[in-house]
Amino acid sequence: MSAGFDQLLLRYENGRMTRRELLAALTAVAVAPAASAGQPVAPLGAVKQLNHVSIFVPDVKKSTQFYQDLFGMPVLTHQDPGINLNAGAGFLGIYPAPQNATQGSINHLCLAVENFDADKVLKTLTDRGVRARIRQRGDTKELYLTDPDGISVQLQDPSYIGGTGLLGNRTP
């Protein structure tokens, strides 16, 4: 930005710009960053689908049986100590709750973002002041953040199935 000011001053000193033009240009240069600071930030990426919801339950086997019997949800992938049941374009993850839990809870939801790259998304989030982390599960990077209301949100590629591989999109 300093080079821009220098150029304006040089033009003024060389008589190629009036004092009024110089003041207008300096005002425009000074106001431009403040105006752009109020601009909305571009979205991180378009969410293509709700990829999955993971629940924590006291008895994985019992809950799995419930969802399979009631809704006919086949096993998509095993992710010990839990299991992922196919739910059309997404899945339901069922995992053991902490030892003393007497009822289930929703642990997190996962949004599928096109062209997902965990490292790039983490940097973008960090640059925006959003605290996020990558959990390495085998060779799969799983990115998590917490929304303003304390809800855990995972971001993944639309092909993610809780499996193996860089995108978690291969059946183990």
Side-chain angles (χ1 to χ4, degrees), residues 114-134:
E114 199 68 52
N115 301 314
F116 179 77
D117 178 319
D119 296 314
K120 286 182 183 177
V121 173
L122 179 63
K123 181 178 179 344
T124 301
L125 290 169
T126 302
D127 290 348
R128 292 183 181 193
V130 176
R131 292 179 59 190
R133 66 181 173 83
I134 293 175

Side-chain angles (χ1 to χ4, degrees), residues 6-18 21:
D6 291 343
Q7 289 295 324
L8 288 173
L9 288 174
L10 187 60
R11 286 182 64 195
Y12 173 73
E13 289 170 351
N14 289 335
R16 293 183 293 164
M17 176 182 269
T18 67
E21 290 170 330

Side-chain angles (χ1 to χ4, degrees), residues 12 16 18 30 58 77 82 90 106 139 147 150 155:
Y12 173 73
R16 293 183 293 164
T18 67
T77 53
I106 295 174
D139 52 353
D147 83 358
L155 300 177

Side-chain angles (χ1 to χ4, degrees), residues 3 8 12 15 18 29 31 41-42 44 51 64 98 100 102 105 108 112 118-121 135 151 160:
L8 288 173
Y12 173 73
T18 67
V29 169
V31 170
V41 179
L44 179 68
N51 183 272
T64 299
N100 297 331
T102 57
S105 64
H108 70 274
D119 296 314
K120 286 182 183 177
V121 173
R135 178 180 83 169
I151 297 170
Y160 179 83

Side-chain angles (χ1 to χ4, degrees), residues 73-165:
M73 299 169 75
V75 173
L76 178 65
T77 53
H78 290 276
Q79 197 175 30
D80 287 334
I83 193 161
N84 297 318
L85 299 180
N86 192 317
F91 64 92
L92 174 65
I94 304 174
Y95 300 91
Q99 272 188 325
N100 297 331
T102 57
Q103 61 184 23
S105 64
I106 295 174
N107 177 264
H108 70 274
L109 63 94
C110 178
L111 302 175
V113 179
E114 199 68 52
N115 301 314
F116 179 77
D117 178 319
D119 296 314
K120 286 182 183 177
V121 173
L122 179 63
K123 181 178 179 344
T124 301
L125 290 169
T126 302
D127 290 348
R128 292 183 181 193
V130 176
R131 292 179 59 190
R133 66 181 173 83
I134 293 175
R135 178 180 83 169
Q136 192 77 36
R137 187 181 50 78
D139 52 353
T140 306
K141 291 181 178 182
E142 299 178 333
L143 190 143
Y144 293 89
L145 60 113
T146 303
D147 83 358
D149 297 302
I151 297 170
S152 181
V153 178
Q154 181 180 2
L155 300 177
Q156 289 298 145
D157 189 81
S159 65
Y160 179 83
I161 60 169
T164 61

